[in-house]
Amino acid sequence: DFQMTQSPSSLSASVGDRVTITCRANQSISRYLNWYQQKPGKAPKLLIYTASTLQSGVPSRFSGSGSGTDFTLTISSLQPEDFATYYCQQTYSTFTFGGGTMVEIK
Amino acid sequence: QVKLQESGPGLVKPSETLSLTCTVSGGSISNYYWSWIRQPPGKGLEWIGYIYNSGSINYNPSFKSRVTISVDTSKNQFSLKLSSVTAADTAVYYCARDPSSGVRGFDYWGQGTLVTVSS
């Protein structure tokens, strides 16, 4: 069973801040890790796949890194439209999402 | 532009079968993986399963005994059936496109449809 743990579960930040979200797998998933952004009442939006590849159309302030069990999503300079919940997803074996990280306005 | 639209009853009685359809427009349903994902109110995302070209199906083991996913390529639709539902199955159900068995993520999503399980 592949389980994904995100931290923190929520954070408060200001516009312009650098934000980092962590996702940890309970066993190695190589680089089979995707990141999504979800705003209230909307479907998730793919941001990054295979740990670090930016999906077409996603701003370059988003970046991802990691391999094995530890991964990070970084927003280099938080913008007003980035306040949302972020989910990681492993696709190494079946598919599992992390519990989510809510990014709120400070 | 690819669009996905979920449809089906918004209210299902306990012990009955939940049935949803996802209609894909703006592109072919062939040669992609198509997933169902759900999200209970106020909670996180849970992958249910996927289908690829009718021949390849993969279910989340948590649902395996209750779920069936099928595809109708002639209608550019795929469907979800979840049997013996309980209140715990109340959720927003999403359908999504997957170009490569998860490797490149779910790039297109439907808007989601709320299904409530209640008598």
Side-chain angles (χ1 to χ4, degrees):
Chain A
D1 222 34
F2 288 81
Q3 299 189 18
M4 309 302 293
T5 303
Q6 284 184 237
S7 61
S9 57
S10 66
L11 65 90
S12 296
S14 301
V15 172
D17 283 354
R18 181 181 182 88
V19 168
T20 298
I21 298 168
T22 296
C23 181
R24 176 164 289 172
N26 65 340
Q27 53 189 298
S28 178
I29 57 169
S30 185
R31 291 177 59 81
Y32 292 92
L33 192 285
N34 307 318
W35 289 98
Y36 298 86
Q37 175 194 67
Q38 187 179 33
K39 296 182 179 179
K42 299 294 187 182
K45 173 188 172 183
L46 178 64
L47 298 176
I48 288 169
Y49 59 90
T50 54
S52 61
T53 304
L54 205 63
Q55 172 70 354
S56 176
V58 173
S60 59
R61 63 180 180 273
F62 291 93
S63 64
S65 65
S67 65
T69 60
D70 294 316
F71 301 85
T72 59
L73 172 70
T74 300
I75 309 172
S76 61
S77 178
L78 199 65
Q79 298 301 300
E81 60 268 30
D82 301 336
F83 291 96
T85 300
Y86 293 84
Y87 292 93
C88 62
Q89 176 203 32
Q90 69 81 17
T91 58
Y92 181 84
S93 176
T94 61
F95 304 155
T96 316
F97 290 93
T101 297
M102 182 182 295
V103 176
E104 300 174 303
I105 300 172
K106 198 172 202 176
Chain B
Q1 175 77 347
V2 175
K3 289 191 177 180
L4 287 72
Q5 179 68 57
E6 305 89 350
S7 59
L11 181 64
V12 180
K13 289 182 168 54
S15 79
E16 296 190 345
T17 296
L18 178 160
S19 295
L20 295 174
T21 296
C22 182
T23 300
V24 179
S25 58
S28 174
I29 202 167
S30 298
N31 300 321
Y32 287 95
Y33 295 79
W34 301 95
S35 273
W36 287 98
I37 305 99
R38 75 178 187 180
Q39 185 171 37
K43 296 189 177 180
L45 300 165
E46 184 174 32
W47 176 74
I48 300 170
Y50 72 57
I51 190 165
Y52 177 79
N53 282 352
S54 299
S56 179
I57 298 174
N58 191 7
Y59 297 137
N60 182 330
S62 299
F63 297 95
K64 205 158 192 175
S65 63
R66 299 196 293 137
V67 66
T68 303
I69 296 176
S70 59
V71 65
D72 186 338
T73 53
S74 67
K75 294 182 178 178
N76 242 31
Q77 295 176 335
F78 64 107
S79 299
L80 168 72
K81 291 189 187 299
L82 186 65
S83 63
S84 306
V85 296
T86 69
D89 294 309
T90 294
V92 175
Y93 285 76
Y94 295 100
C95 57
R97 190 184 85 164
D98 169 5
S100 57
S101 188
V103 175
R104 287 160 52 192
F106 297 168
D107 59 355
Y108 288 95
W109 293 65
Q111 65 186 23
T113 187
L114 175 63
V115 178
T116 302
V117 178
S118 175
S119 55

